[in-house]
């Protein structure tokens, strides 16, 4: 039977011990004393309630201290440096490793000082010759001073972005469009780097620019085709110039070699003529005493030697003539001289002979050379 069933027997089964009497809510103070007395019995038995409260407070304090100490451990990675703030004010920097800080007193801000960061900058800009081009640049930098990076300016990255945009517009505004698009890109990059450094340095933002990459600039889409044609023409010009330079490098050594060869031939010819003239002078100097001693004999010997030398190099025609006949005979020496071998007939003994020297081959209509009989040495004697 349930305890709350009607009847007199149910009132004795009330679990709260009310025995059927209508009572109010339980006394909380009495329940708290009962719980405290039970826990007090566990830690020593007969202690009063005040002692138990102080002991519990000590336990809670010890736990809080342990939690506070444990929560103060932190780690700084190898690529980072920690900036310590004590009550919100900069205190010092910490190196990588396992560190400890007093919680609620110190605050540590890790800053990456090894990684290279990238900052893009782009936009349509006006050049010196009043043309609009779209320019893109990428600035690579890293943090070298964590304290300055955090506290010198409100936002170091945003400040660097604004400085880069200002420097890029300044440099492009003082550069012609052709230089920005083609040959002057390296100059624009160097000048932009220098201007950015000059802007950032006074603010001491703790940043160091590692590199500046100037991406290919391009004109607006509306005039892109015309600019492409102009750039193609400039590239063709450079290609023709390189081809001409290559041809010049190929031809110039040959010309210099030819000049050197002609100079050497001229020097050789000069030396040959000079030596030959000196030899002739020496020979005539040797003949002069002999000529002075016997002029006629020397002249006759020179004449014979000269004629012998000439006859060895020319074709000869020998004509038989009757004794005492001084008639003039015409011979076609121009045709006879064209033969491979000269005709040399054998004359009888005692018959005078006439020798003639044919002239050079001057054609089929040249005049025949008259020959006369007589002494062959008579023409050399004066």
């Amino acid at each position: 039977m349930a305890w709350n069933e009607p009847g007199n027997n149910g009132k004795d089964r009330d679990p709260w011990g009310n025995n059927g009497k209508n009572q109010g809510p339980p006394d909380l103070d009495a329940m708290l004393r009962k719980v405290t007395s039970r826990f007090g019995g566990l830690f020593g038995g007969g202690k009063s309630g005040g002692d138990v409260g102080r002991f519990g407070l000590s336990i809670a304090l010890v736990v809080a201290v342990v939690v506070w100490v444990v929560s103060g451990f932190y780690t700084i990675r190898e690529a980072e440096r920690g900036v310590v703030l004590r009550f919100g004010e900069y205190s010092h920097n910490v190196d990588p490793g396992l560190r400890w800080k007093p919680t609620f007193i110190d605050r540590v801000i890790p800053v990456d000082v090894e990684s290279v960061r990238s900052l893009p900058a782009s936009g349509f800009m006006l050049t010196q010759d009043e043309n609009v081009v779209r320019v893109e640049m990428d600035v690579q930098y890293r943090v070298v001073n964590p304290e300055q990076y955090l506290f010198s300016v409100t936002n170091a990255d945003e400040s660097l972005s604004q400085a880069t945009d200002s420097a890029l517009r300044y440099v492009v505004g003082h550069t012609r469009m052709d230089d920005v698009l083609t040959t002057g890109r390296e100059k624009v990059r160097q000048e932009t780097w220098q201007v950015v450094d000059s802007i950032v340095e006074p603010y001491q933002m703790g940043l160091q620019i590692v590199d500046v990459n100037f991406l290919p600039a391009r004109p607006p889409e509306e005039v892109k085709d015309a600019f492409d044609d102009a750039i193609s023409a400039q590239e063709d010009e450079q290609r023709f110039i390189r081809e001409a330079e290559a041809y010049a490098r190929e031809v110039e050594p040959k010309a210099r070699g030819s000049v050197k060869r002609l100079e050497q031939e001229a020097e050789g010819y000069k030396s040959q003529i000079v030596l030959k003239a000196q030899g002739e002078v020496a020979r005539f100097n040797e003949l002069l005493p002999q000529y002075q001693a016997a002029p006629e004999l020397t002249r006759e010997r020179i004449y014979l030697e000269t004629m012998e030398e000439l006859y060895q190099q020319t074709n000869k025609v020998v004509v038989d003539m009757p004794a005492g006949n001084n008639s003039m005979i015409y011979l076609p020496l121009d045709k006879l001289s064209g033969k491979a071998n000269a005709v040399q007939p054998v004359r009888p003994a005692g018959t005078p002979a006439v020798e003639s020297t044919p002239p050079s081959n001057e054609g089929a209509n040249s005049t025949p050379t008259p020959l006369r009989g007589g002494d062959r040495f008579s023409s050399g004697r004066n």
Side-chain angles (χ1 to χ4, degrees):
M1 180 181 294
W3 65 269
N4 57 354
E5 288 182 358
N8 293 329
N9 295 331
K11 60 183 180 180
D12 297 332
R13 295 183 178 87
D14 188 356
W16 302 107
N18 293 329
N19 298 323
K21 297 180 180 180
N22 188 10
Q23 298 179 354
D27 189 357
L28 296 179
D29 292 336
M31 294 178 62
L32 181 60
R33 284 194 298 270
K34 185 182 295 186
V35 172
T36 303
S37 63
R38 290 182 179 180
F39 280 102
L42 294 176
F43 293 100
K47 292 185 179 180
S48 63
D51 294 337
V52 173
R54 286 193 297 271
F55 182 76
L57 182 61
S58 300
I59 294 297
L61 184 60
V62 170
V63 172
V65 170
V66 172
V67 172
W68 179 78
V69 171
V70 173
S71 65
F73 288 98
Y74 65 95
T75 302
I76 300 296
R77 292 181 295 181
E78 183 66 26
E80 296 177 342
R81 298 294 183 272
V83 179
V84 179
L85 303 180
R86 183 159 295 168
F87 296 109
E89 183 180 0
Y90 171 76
S91 176
H92 60 280
N93 295 339
V94 293
D95 294 329
L98 180 62
R99 304 289 175 178
W100 182 84
K101 63 178 176 61
T103 307
F104 307 119
I105 298 176
D106 288 353
R107 177 189 173 195
V108 179
I109 303 175
V111 179
D112 191 346
V113 297
E114 296 292 339
S115 300
V116 177
R117 310 182 185 189
S118 179
L119 179 66
S122 63
F124 287 97
M125 302 180 186
L126 190 66
T127 62
Q128 184 179 10
D129 49 1
E130 298 181 355
N131 289 305
V132 177
V133 294
R134 178 171 178 79
V135 180
E136 297 181 2
M137 179 168 286
D138 183 75
V139 179
Q140 298 180 356
Y141 66 98
R142 62 186 181 89
V143 179
V144 294
N145 192 320
E147 177 189 357
Q148 295 179 355
Y149 174 73
L150 293 175
F151 307 118
S152 292
V153 294
T154 303
N155 190 330
D157 297 327
E158 182 64 23
S159 299
L160 179 60
S161 176
Q162 295 176 0
T164 302
D165 187 73
S166 176
L168 183 58
R169 291 183 182 276
Y170 173 80
V171 174
V172 172
H174 290 77
T175 308
R176 297 175 63 254
M177 181 191 62
D178 292 340
D179 296 335
V180 174
L181 295 178
T182 56
T183 58
R185 298 179 64 252
E186 179 62 24
K187 181 180 178 182
V188 172
R189 188 185 77 88
Q190 294 290 343
E191 292 182 355
T192 304
W193 193 341
Q194 295 175 1
V195 174
V196 172
D197 283 337
S198 64
I199 295 175
V200 171
E201 184 177 1
Y203 292 95
Q204 296 181 355
M205 294 189 296
L207 301 178
Q208 180 183 11
I209 297 177
V210 178
D211 193 9
V212 175
N213 297 323
F214 186 67
L215 304 178
R218 60 181 184 274
E221 294 296 333
E222 293 78 7
V223 293
K224 185 176 182 301
D225 295 338
F227 275 91
D228 291 341
D229 293 340
I231 293 175
S232 298
Q234 293 177 355
E235 292 177 352
D236 292 339
E237 178 185 5
Q238 295 298 323
R239 179 170 58 83
F240 291 148
I241 291 175
R242 289 192 294 269
E243 291 178 354
E245 291 175 350
Y247 177 75
R249 288 193 295 269
E250 179 183 359
V251 173
E252 184 177 0
K254 295 181 180 179
R256 293 183 182 275
S258 299
V259 170
K260 193 67 176 178
R261 179 174 56 82
L262 292 176
E263 289 179 353
Q264 293 177 352
E265 291 179 354
E267 292 292 336
Y269 178 75
K270 174 183 176 181
S271 300
Q272 178 183 359
I273 296 302
V274 170
L275 293 176
K276 184 176 181 181
Q278 291 176 354
E280 293 292 337
V281 171
R283 187 172 65 86
F284 281 109
N285 288 334
E286 291 179 356
L287 291 176
L288 180 60
Q290 301 177 9
Y291 180 80
Q292 291 175 349
E296 294 294 333
L297 181 61
T298 304
R299 183 166 54 244
E300 183 71 18
R301 182 170 62 82
I302 293 174
Y303 173 76
L304 293 176
E305 291 177 354
T306 302
M307 296 303 295
E308 181 180 1
E309 182 180 357
L310 292 176
Y311 282 155
Q312 289 178 356
Q313 299 177 0
T314 59
N315 297 328
K316 295 175 283 298
V317 178
V318 180
V319 180
D320 291 337
M321 296 294 296
N325 187 0
N326 294 328
S327 299
M328 181 180 296
I329 299 176
Y330 293 94
L331 298 176
L333 297 180
D334 55 340
K335 296 182 178 180
L336 294 176
S337 62
K339 296 181 180 180
N341 297 320
V343 179
Q344 297 181 354
V346 179
R347 61 184 180 83
T351 305
V354 177
E355 296 182 1
S356 62
T357 302
S360 61
N361 189 8
E362 297 179 356
N365 297 326
S366 59
T367 305
T369 303
L371 298 178
R372 293 179 179 272
D375 190 357
R376 63 175 181 173
F377 305 122
S378 61
S379 60
R381 299 173 183 174
N382 296 326

